[in-house]
Amino acid sequence: MTAAKAEPKLERTNPSDQMAAARAAAKEPCLQVLWELARTYQAFITYDEENIRKLGLTLPQFDVIATLGNTPGMTMNVLAEKTLVTKGTLTGIVDRLEKKGLVRREVPPEDRRCFVIVLTPEGERVFEEVFPNHIAYLKQRFDRLQPQEAQEILASLQRLREIF
C-alpha cells in the first residue's frame, strides 16, 4: 500500500486571514520559478515560431514533420506522445499536412485496425531542408551558453519535471 499524497485542505477562514494567506502565497519562491519558466517558454516560442513561419509551416506542423523525419512512420498514439499534442488536435494537423502532400496515412498489414502516419517523398524533402535549417537557427541562441551552463539548465529542468 502506498501513502497518499497529502492534499492541502481548504478551510473556511475570515476574509482578513484569507487576504494574509493570499499575500503569503504570492511571495512563495516557487511562484518566481514558475513565472520565469513561463516567460522563458513564451520567449522561446516567439523566437522559434518566427523562423518556422518563414519556412512555410506552423509550429505544430513542423513538430509533426520533425518527429516523423528519419522514421518509418508512427501511429497517431505514438505521434501524439512524441509531439505532446492531443490526438484530437493532431488529427487536424495531419489532415492539413496530408492536403499539402507532406504526409500520408498507411494501414499496416499486420494491424488493419490502425494507421501509420508517414512522410511522403515531398515531406521527406521538406524535412531534410527545413529541419537542419531550423536547428542551425536555434543553435545561434543556444551557442551563447557555455557547455556547463547548458548542462546545468538541462539538469534543473529534468529535476523540475521529476517532482511533478
Side-chain angles (χ1 to χ4, degrees):
M1 179 183 260
T2 60
K5 285 186 178 179
E7 295 292 329
K9 292 183 181 179
L10 296 176
E11 297 177 15
R12 296 197 181 259
T13 57
N14 69 46
S16 64
D17 288 346
Q18 287 176 334
M19 182 59 80
R23 285 189 183 116
K27 294 179 184 175
E28 285 293 330
C30 68
L31 203 50
Q32 290 179 324
V33 172
L34 292 173
W35 282 337
E36 194 57 40
L37 185 61
R39 285 191 297 260
T40 300
Y41 180 73
Q42 288 171 341
F44 169 75
I45 289 300
T46 300
Y47 181 77
D48 192 44
E49 188 172 33
E50 180 183 324
N51 187 55
I52 288 171
R53 289 251 179 231
K54 288 178 187 174
L55 300 171
L57 298 168
T58 65
L59 272 171
Q61 289 172 347
F62 175 82
D63 195 10
V64 169
I65 288 172
T67 302
L68 289 173
N70 294 325
T71 74
M74 296 177 195
T75 64
M76 289 288 273
N77 285 341
V78 172
L79 191 55
E81 287 173 18
K82 292 190 177 283
T83 59
L84 302 177
V85 174
T86 64
K87 273 181 55 178
T89 302
L90 186 58
T91 299
I93 296 164
V94 169
D95 287 346
R96 285 183 285 285
L97 287 172
E98 199 169 33
K99 284 179 184 166
K100 287 183 171 190
L102 301 177
V103 301
R104 70 176 174 271
R105 292 171 168 93
E106 292 182 355
V107 178
E110 67 276 0
D111 186 355
R112 308 213 38 96
R113 295 170 297 160
C114 70
F115 52 87
V116 174
I117 309 302
V118 298
L119 290 177
T120 63
E122 177 64 11
E124 285 287 346
R125 187 197 64 72
V126 168
F127 168 73
E128 290 168 2
E129 177 185 320
V130 167
F131 188 69
N133 178 316
H134 190 61
I135 296 304
Y137 177 78
L138 294 177
K139 195 172 178 303
Q140 293 172 14
R141 294 295 172 105
F142 280 93
D143 279 351
R144 295 178 184 182
L145 295 172
Q146 294 296 317
Q148 182 62 33
E149 289 175 305
Q151 285 301 316
E152 290 168 2
I153 292 167
L154 179 61
S156 294
L157 289 171
Q158 289 169 337
R159 176 67 180 120
L160 186 59
R161 183 174 34 89
E162 286 173 6
I163 65 173
F164 288 99

